Amino acid sequence: MSERYADIIIDISHEKLDRAFQYRVPERLRGRLEVGMCVAVPFGNGNTRRLGYCVGLGEECRFDPSRIKDVLEIEEKAVDAQDRMIALAAFIRRNYGGTMIQALKTVLPAKRAVKPLARRWVERLLGREELISLKGACERRRQGAKARLLEALSRQEEIPYQWITGKLGVSSATVKSLEREGVLRVVSVSEYRNPVRVSGQEGGLLSLSEGQRYIVEEFLRDYEAGQRGVYLIHGVTGSGKTEVYMRLIEEVVARGRQAIMLIPEIALTYQTLLRFYRRFGDRVSVMNSTLSPGEKYDQCERAKHGEIDVIIGPRSALFTPFPDLGLIVMDEEHEGSYKSESTPKYHAREVAREAARQSGASLVLGSATPSLEAYYRAKRGEYRLFTLDERLTGGTLPKVHIADLRAELKAGNRSIFSRRLQELLGDRLLKGQQSMLFLNRRGYAGFVSCRACGHVMKCPHCDVSLSEHQGGRLICHYCGYQKPKPETCPDCGSKYIMGFKAGTQQIEEKLKELFPGVRCLRMDGDTTKKKDSYERILAAFGGGEADVLIGTQMIVKGHDFPNVTLVGVLAADLSLGAHDFRCGERTFQLLTQAVGRAGRGELFGEAVIQTYQPEHYAVIYAAAQDYGGFYGEELLYREMSGYPPVSHMLAVQVYGKSEDCAKQLAKRLSDMVKSIEGDGGSRGVQVIGPAPASIGRINDVFRFVFYVKHGKYAELVQVKDALEEGLRLMPPGGESVQFDFDPMNTI
Ligand code: ADP
Ligand code: ZN
Ligand code: ZN
């Protein structure tokens, strides 16, 4: 390519990101200048020489040709942290599509808030024992919030205010009343401070288990020999992975380099953070979605200036601009949240690998149920595989029962609880032990349909079934459309129109019918809408405020509950039913995690998996907690059907207000891919579709999708490039196109 005009963003640290200036590319630079490169340009009235980044190239001059200026030269200066981020943005754009500006916005933090916010935290004024006895008194008076704060203060001398009102769910009024009672003091300063200051480090106190020591030693041997690699630690929860991560980080930091610790947002609990704060003190910071853009920017500045060595956070923490990054750790690497759901739809695992490569850092992945991708590469020798199979927290694997719901119905049991689950629930209530009931969907009742004619109540805008909520309202979970539930079927007039599958609220009601007086907590998309209510519910359950916790996938994560001895999975089939090649994997992960929640303490645990498909391999291997067995069977399926990780798949998604135009564009683009194949002869690209997306319309936007498959990822990148080029030459009307490589979810 030798385009004649370049879009340049001037000096990213000062200018607004979304403003690019067009320059002419002089003859001598044509074909050499690439998107992502740093260039020198004349800027402003005085034509001051400034540095900028090329974010786009093209043939069309969008500026007065007589006044357009020339790019002076390509700047080949030393790579600093910011330039590494630019290079990473270029990698993301190349591999996942979208514009350079979108990629830059992904990797660079927004600008600083004008005024740094005041920091506030709470200091305890009483000793540990006094706090614990006060906490007991509060618990007896059922003052849950007070008790939670006292409990936290008994472990921690200082707690940031935002943690208290956020994660702990304690109101400012409660804090004030404790302040009046002389229990604590609220302190604030105006300069930036680390969220938590921790007294008494506990570094290096544990002596590592044999398995842990082996990993640390092997890693260090490579590291000292200058070998940087990718490592996968496969270990059940409680096998000591986090302890290993902390050791590795310590070692790397001791060598003067920095580390990024990635944790899915939902698993980023207060307890986990405290462990890191205790170990690394002031030198660690956290990045999460509750931080304002200004605060995120501050974290990046602190990282750049060497004020911190470690950052903990979800996907976006990957873009912390450390001067000398030495290690990236990615816990729970199988988590879907590591894939961005908006353009550029990058996967943090792949971008982390590139970031590590650019910085000469190592990458450590960890999971109790590794993704097929990671395990496949480990098996092929691309990653080094370590296994930790001993639970250091004690506890034994639970005994798992599979309840066949078809048989239940035959036996006349029409309840949502199988007989086995009813019996075990009753037993736990008698013994005063806790149970968890897990349902992998949210809402009151699934879709509403007519039992007489089969008519399904659907959203008029989104083409998905509506969910019934309390008060008899039907709600669309995509666009929020709602209407009252009709008395009779709009189609045939029958009055047998009703919910089909249970939601968490209905389970709670049924449970209370079955066991009057049972104390329940419910956790789902509705009860956790408020910021940090997630943590609050878990804390309440951990504090013994309920006998049963009912919830969606959210409850399978989080901290240990030693008193939970029973887990019920109400309908394992729901996640198997998704039209998606990953549904077996997701089901296996969810079931394994759910089952593993029982028996974390001294007490023996049991689990009941209810399903209409007791013979499905994901169900069977999850019940047996057999990852290897599952992997073997799942990989066979992926191999036979040509799905990732064996093959690769690019989803091309077309969105448009006009159904016809969107459909035609999808057709045009898929034909283009087919013709590329024809041109090149035996490139072996396979095109599937186009077809309306599984949800064909959301908010009156029509969605079409087609899939391109090939064994080599690079081929698919070329397909994407060709499509982007085609779209540039023949821009569509109102439609937009998005690319999703090796998609995690179907649209
Ligand atoms: P994972 O991350 O695999 O779930 P953790 O590192 O959190 O495992 O360890 C689980 C528990 O075991 C934690 O309470 C941790 O403090 C403890 N633990 C970890 N390593 C050791 C060790 N070598 N000796 C004793 N306890 C350990
Ligand atoms: Zn009907
Ligand atoms: Zn809708």
Side-chain angles (χ1 to χ4, degrees):
M1 277 189 275
S2 60
E3 280 97 350
R4 292 184 302 151
Y5 299 96
D7 295 321
I8 308 290
I9 289 180
I10 312 288
D11 201 354
I12 287 176
S13 52
H14 295 105
E15 304 295 328
K16 275 217 157 80
L17 270 184
D18 42 6
R19 179 85 163 86
F21 296 86
Q22 200 174 38
Y23 285 85
R24 182 168 32 229
V25 184
E27 201 77 55
R28 66 196 155 82
L29 296 183
R30 280 185 207 158
R32 274 181 57 208
L33 180 58
E34 285 173 26
V35 170
M37 281 182 170
C38 183
V39 293
V41 292
F43 189 72
N45 289 335
N47 279 338
T48 331
R49 181 191 158 100
R50 299 281 294 271
L51 294 185
Y53 295 95
C54 175
V55 296
L57 288 164
E59 283 302 326
E60 188 193 341
C61 184
R62 287 178 276 100
F63 199 71
D64 178 357
S66 66
R67 288 177 52 217
I68 197 162
K69 300 171 191 172
D70 275 7
V71 173
L72 299 175
E73 62 202 344
I74 296 172
E75 190 70 26
E76 329 243 3
K77 56 170 190 159
V79 177
D80 71 10
Q82 175 137 312
D83 292 349
R84 267 211 330 276
M85 288 302 134
I86 307 279
L88 210 50
F91 170 86
I92 289 175
R93 195 196 74 91
R94 198 163 54 245
N95 284 282
Y96 299 97
T99 65
M100 188 63 190
I101 294 208
Q102 284 169 325
L104 282 171
K105 281 187 170 164
T106 303
V107 303
L108 297 174
K111 290 294 165 274
R112 177 201 286 273
V114 183
K115 191 166 128 243
L117 295 166
R119 295 272 135 191
R120 279 205 292 173
W121 71 97
V122 162
E123 265 174 30
R124 72 183 190 202
L125 299 173
L126 300 180
R128 215 175 152 263
E129 275 71 40
E130 282 174 284
L131 290 168
I132 290 172
S133 86
L134 266 179
K135 176 198 148 205
C138 287
E139 272 170 353
R140 283 189 293 279
R141 290 201 298 269
R142 298 200 163 241
Q143 297 174 321
K146 259 190 190 175
R148 283 201 295 283
L149 180 52
L150 290 168
E151 155 85 26
L153 278 173
S154 74
R155 286 196 238 155
Q156 195 59 41
E157 285 174 17
E158 290 182 359
I159 303 178
Y161 205 84
Q162 71 174 58
W163 275 107
I164 295 175
T165 50
K167 293 270 174 189
L168 287 178
V170 176
S171 69
S172 339
T174 305
V175 178
K176 276 217 189 80
S177 100
L178 284 173
E179 189 170 29
R180 274 196 304 274
E181 291 165 29
V183 175
L184 52 81
R185 172 172 62 184
V186 179
V187 188
S188 61
V189 283
S190 59
E191 101 263 28
Y192 188 85
R193 271 188 51 131
N194 210 27
V196 172
R197 200 179 73 199
V198 182
S199 47
Q201 302 213 339
E202 59 156 58
L205 291 182
L206 293 175
S207 67
L208 293 180
S209 73
E210 206 172 307
Q212 289 173 319
R213 193 168 342 113
Y214 178 69
I215 300 175
V216 174
E217 279 168 6
E218 290 295 302
F219 175 91
L220 284 179
R221 208 173 55 191
D222 286 356
Y223 207 85
E224 293 298 7
Q227 251 186 60
R228 303 290 182 262
V230 184
Y231 305 83
L232 171 63
I233 305 178
H234 175 204
V236 293
T237 311
S239 61
K241 295 187 296 297
T242 308
E243 186 59 34
V244 170
Y245 305 150
M246 291 198 292
R247 293 296 170 109
L248 298 180
I249 292 172
E250 257 174 350
E251 295 287 351
V252 167
V253 167
R255 286 160 179 75
R257 305 186 72 188
Q258 303 86 40
I260 295 171
M261 175 78 223
L262 299 177
I263 298 182
E265 178 107 33
I266 199 162
L268 190 57
T269 60
Y270 189 58
Q271 271 82 351
T272 307
L273 272 179
L274 273 187
R275 282 174 79 182
F276 279 87
Y277 284 128
R278 291 217 174 92
R279 191 70 61 95
F280 298 101
D282 269 351
R283 305 291 297 171
V284 61
S285 192
V286 62
M287 184 92 91
N288 63 33
S289 64
T290 64
L291 296 186
S292 68
E295 287 175 308
K296 281 185 188 155
Y297 183 78
D298 282 348
Q299 303 303 321
C300 287
E301 288 298 292
R302 299 177 71 212
K304 236 190 251 174
H305 298 125
E307 287 173 31
I308 51 174
D309 301 315
V310 186
I311 192 115
I312 307 176
R315 198 173 68 215
S316 60
L318 187 52
F319 306 115
T320 308
F322 280 120
D324 190 13
L325 182 66
L327 173 64
I328 302 173
V329 179
M330 191 170 177
D331 192 27
E332 311 214 30
E333 61 76 29
H334 64 274
E335 269 295 310
S337 63
Y338 280 124
K339 177 87 184 261
S340 164
E341 289 299 320
S342 56
T343 302
K345 299 183 178 182
Y346 70 93
H347 198 297
R349 195 196 306 113
E350 309 311 318
V351 177
R353 194 181 192 185
E354 173 66 12
R357 193 192 62 75
Q358 287 178 2
S359 313
S362 285
L363 172 62
V364 173
L365 310 170
S367 174
T369 50
S371 64
L372 262 269
E373 267 86 355
Y375 207 75
Y376 178 67
R377 294 200 199 151
K379 284 281 179 195
R380 287 171 23 132
E382 288 176 51
Y383 299 171
R384 174 124 186 235
L385 179 65
F386 293 112
T387 310
L388 289 174
D389 36 28
E390 186 193 345
R391 243 188 198 184
L392 299 171
T393 37
T396 44
L397 286 181
K399 179 173 166 65
V400 184
H401 312 270
I402 298 179
D404 184 344
L405 291 175
R406 298 169 306 188
E408 293 294 317
L409 204 63
K410 264 199 203 127
N413 176 16
R414 307 186 122 253
S415 147
I416 47 178
F417 306 110
S418 61
R419 288 160 296 173
R420 171 84 73 180
L421 187 54
Q422 292 184 18
E423 171 207 325
L424 294 179
L425 276 168
D427 173 69
R428 295 319 191 256
L429 286 172
L430 276 179
K431 289 182 182 154
Q433 296 172 1
Q434 291 178 302
S435 306
M436 286 170 113
L437 294 179
F438 164 58
L439 182 79
N440 37 1
R441 63 187 292 145
R442 64 174 215 170
Y444 178 74
F447 66 100
V448 173
S449 67
C450 171
R451 295 288 164 90
C453 77
H455 179 83
V456 175
M457 300 297 297
K458 285 189 165 186
C459 171
H461 308 291
C462 300
D463 204 12
V464 290
S465 47
L466 297 167
S467 304
E468 185 175 7
H469 280 240
Q470 221 160 27
R473 296 202 70 77
L474 301 179
I475 298 181
C476 167
H477 277 302
Y478 282 98
C479 73
Y481 168 87
Q482 45 174 295
K483 68 180 207 175
K485 187 184 152 193
E487 300 284 325
T488 55
C489 172
D491 225 29
C492 75
S494 152
K495 59 183 198 301
Y496 290 104
I497 181 150
M498 54 184 73
F500 218 70
K501 281 160 192 153
T504 51
Q505 275 184 28
Q506 199 186 349
I507 290 165
E508 181 175 359
E509 282 162 21
K510 298 282 178 207
L511 191 69
K512 285 181 168 159
E513 280 170 24
L514 209 55
F515 303 105
V518 64
R519 296 172 307 155
C520 294
L521 278 167
R522 196 159 56 80
M523 184 149 84
D524 56 31
D526 292 329
T527 61
T528 54
K529 272 216 184 77
K530 266 179 67 185
K531 201 160 94 180
D532 301 321
S533 41
Y534 167 78
E535 194 84 7
R536 206 173 308 161
I537 296 170
L538 287 181
F541 187 59
E545 289 173 35
D547 307 305
V548 182
L549 176 63
I550 302 166
T552 53
Q553 18 275 58
M554 300 173 178
I555 65 169
V556 302
K557 306 214 171 62
H559 31 238
D560 278 0
F561 300 113
N563 200 33
V564 170
T565 58
L566 175 64
V567 168
V569 179
L570 290 164
D573 309 79
L574 292 181
S575 59
L576 282 174
H579 304 284
D580 177 350
F581 74 87
R582 292 188 199 272
C583 71
E585 181 178 6
R586 231 178 340 251
T587 302
F588 176 80
Q589 289 164 350
L590 280 170
L591 293 181
T592 309
Q593 284 173 354
V595 163
R597 309 264 3 165
R600 286 285 174 83
E602 316 259 282
L603 304 165
F604 177 68
E606 280 178 284
V608 179
I609 299 178
Q610 304 192 151
T611 175
Y612 290 95
Q613 299 173 63
E615 65 287 336
H616 194 289
Y617 64 93
V619 174
I620 291 171
Y621 286 122
Q625 307 261 300
D626 177 1
Y627 180 85
F630 169 76
Y631 172 80
E633 192 131 350
E634 180 69 16
L635 194 73
L636 213 61
Y637 154 68
R638 305 280 178 99
E639 243 164 11
M640 289 195 324
S641 331
Y643 283 124
V646 184
S647 186
H648 292 282
M649 196 158 142
L650 166 63
V652 182
Q653 305 160 350
V654 179
Y655 300 77
K657 288 264 178 204
S658 148
E659 187 173 10
D660 270 353
C661 297
K663 194 174 177 175
Q664 272 167 26
L665 179 61
K667 176 90 173 53
R668 194 183 104 203
L669 294 176
S670 60
D671 285 345
M672 210 163 107
V673 178
K674 285 175 191 154
S675 76
I676 304 173
E677 188 189 9
D679 284 353
S682 60
R683 280 177 64 173
V685 173
Q686 189 192 346
V687 181
I688 303 153
S694 61
I695 299 158
R697 176 162 52 146
I698 290 185
N699 247 332
D700 289 326
V701 171
F702 289 88
R703 317 185 319 158
F704 289 84
V705 60
F706 67 92
Y707 293 92
V708 189
K709 278 193 195 170
H710 195 280
K712 287 207 184 76
Y713 192 95
E715 288 287 336
L716 295 181
V717 170
Q718 282 187 24
V719 167
K720 183 259 306 171
D721 287 346
L723 289 174
E724 279 184 333
E725 180 70 9
L727 286 166
R728 208 172 57 76
L729 296 177
M730 254 213 292
E735 293 74 41
S736 68
V737 177
Q738 294 187 11
F739 300 99
D740 191 355
F741 284 86
D742 290 350
M744 299 297 281
N745 297 302
T746 48
I747 64 159

